[in-house]
Amino acid sequence: MGRGRSAAGMKKELPAKKISTQDKRDLQVLADDFGLLHRKDVQDIIQNSRSYSEGQQKILRIYAAVYL
């Protein structure tokens, strides 16, 4: 018992990868350098990103939309 295939619709979910505290700080510095740290959407990006590079890309997209 307990071996073999799982029941249909029962998919094991993997835990979401967390970004490190240092990466969050680095994203905050990046956002502050661009003058975007006060924005709610940027704060959400910093808290919910899975990696530094993902957060960096999203912040740069916002910067381009706001300032360019």
Side-chain angles (χ1 to χ4, degrees):
M1 240 201 288
R3 294 185 183 199
R5 300 174 68 181
S6 60
M10 299 295 291
K11 187 174 181 182
K12 187 183 285 186
E13 293 184 25
L14 298 175
K17 182 180 174 186
K18 295 280 189 172
I19 189 171
S20 72
T21 304
Q22 183 61 46
D23 285 345
K24 282 185 184 181
R25 285 189 201 125
D26 291 343
L27 287 174
Q28 287 176 338
V29 169
L30 177 70
D32 190 38
D33 289 346
F34 287 129
L36 299 171
L37 189 57
H38 66 280
R39 294 177 55 108
K40 175 75 171 120
D41 54 352
V42 173
Q43 291 293 325
D44 290 340
I45 289 169
I46 292 170
Q47 293 302 316
N48 298 323
S49 292
R50 293 185 191 148
S51 67
Y52 176 83
S53 62
E54 176 188 345
Q56 179 187 31
Q57 289 173 358
K58 290 179 180 180
I59 290 171
L60 291 177
R61 276 189 228 129
I62 291 174
Y63 174 77
V66 171
Y67 291 109
L68 301 180

